[in-house]
């Protein structure tokens, strides 16, 4: 069972430190303060613990910040998901996303040797909205023979079609709370 106190500390840190800047969400400011960063990472880890992951994946860029910290808190490893043809040595699988909230499509890649067959994988990121990157990541994980068992984010605004196609999404806050 998840640690409700850790989730609540993370939630309070988000609500206290989140800002909008010129109409854009500023999730970076939340991560600047060490107490808030710790609370957010521990809160996300607590939401993901019930999924019993073998590995955490995170999509470039905020997933690269949050994912390894959450993986450490859970005692598992981390595998990065890169964007748009970035140099990535070793065998890779690639998947194009659907359109994101701005209508952009990306090509995501995952090193095939970093996620093993039969492993349970949790995706960690700052925000889920259209679910396009999460859906593409699920396809990458599946192509490696593993299974995406959960998604743990700071903010959940997942669109209904994505929510229906993805495993459970756990978050510290919903978008309408910001």
């Amino acid at each position: 069972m998840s640690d409700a106190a850790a989730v609540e500390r993370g939630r309070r840190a988000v609500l206290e430190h989140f800002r909008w800047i010129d109409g854009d969400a500023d999730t970076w400011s939340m991560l600047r303060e060490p107490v808030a960063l710790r609370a957010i990472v521990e809160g996300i880890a607590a939401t993901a613990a019930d999924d019993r992951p073998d590995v955490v994946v995170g999509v470039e860029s905020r997933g690269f910040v949050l994912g390894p910290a959450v993986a450490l808190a859970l005692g598992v490893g981390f595998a990065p998901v890169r964007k748009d043809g970035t140099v990535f040595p070793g065998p890779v699988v690639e998947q194009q996303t659907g359109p994101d909230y701005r209508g952009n499509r990306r090509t995501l890649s995952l090193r095939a040797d970093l996620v093993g067959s039969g492993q349970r994988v949790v995706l960690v990121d700052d925000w889920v909205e259209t679910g396009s990157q999460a859906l593409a990541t699920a396809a990458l994980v599946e192509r490696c023979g593993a299974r995406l068992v959960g998604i743990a984010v700071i903010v959940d605004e997942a669109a209904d079609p994505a929510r229906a196609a993805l495993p459970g999404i756990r978050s510290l806050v919903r978008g309408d709370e910001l």
Side-chain angles (χ1 to χ4, degrees):
M1 182 186 281
S2 66
D3 179 351
V7 173
E8 182 56 29
R9 283 190 302 274
R11 176 181 165 66
R12 282 194 319 263
V14 170
L15 295 174
E16 181 180 336
H17 293 279
F18 178 83
R19 302 288 181 263
W20 292 100
I21 297 177
D22 298 327
D24 292 317
D26 175 29
T27 53
W28 289 112
S29 290
M30 293 184 290
L31 307 178
R32 171 60 181 87
E33 297 301 321
V35 172
L37 175 59
R38 178 182 300 275
I40 290 167
V41 167
E42 289 174 353
I44 293 171
T47 70
D50 287 343
D51 291 322
R52 301 177 331 276
D54 299 304
V55 66
V56 165
V57 296
V59 178
E60 196 169 5
S61 71
R62 280 174 285 272
F64 277 26
V65 173
L66 295 168
V70 170
L72 279 171
L74 293 172
V76 301
F78 173 76
V81 176
R82 304 293 314 259
K83 286 183 183 176
D84 297 322
T86 306
V87 174
F88 209 13
V92 299
V93 290
E94 293 184 335
Q95 181 72 37
Q96 186 174 59
T97 70
D100 65 13
Y101 69 101
R102 290 186 173 152
N104 298 322
R105 293 177 183 268
R106 305 271 187 204
T107 299
L108 302 184
S109 61
L110 173 63
R111 282 242 325 250
D113 61 336
L114 297 180
V115 176
S117 181
Q119 288 191 312
R120 298 171 59 83
V121 178
V122 167
L123 169 62
V124 170
D125 211 345
D126 66 329
W127 206 294
V128 63
E129 193 167 19
T130 66
S132 63
Q133 290 186 29
L135 288 164
T137 299
L140 291 170
V141 166
E142 185 175 304
R143 288 174 57 199
C144 293
R147 185 166 63 106
L148 187 68
V149 295
I151 299 167
V153 295
I154 296 173
V155 182
D156 178 1
E157 277 192 312
D160 289 339
R163 190 176 304 284
L166 290 166
I169 300 170
R170 294 187 176 94
S171 68
L172 298 178
V173 299
R174 292 181 324 272
D176 62 4
E177 295 176 285
L178 300 174

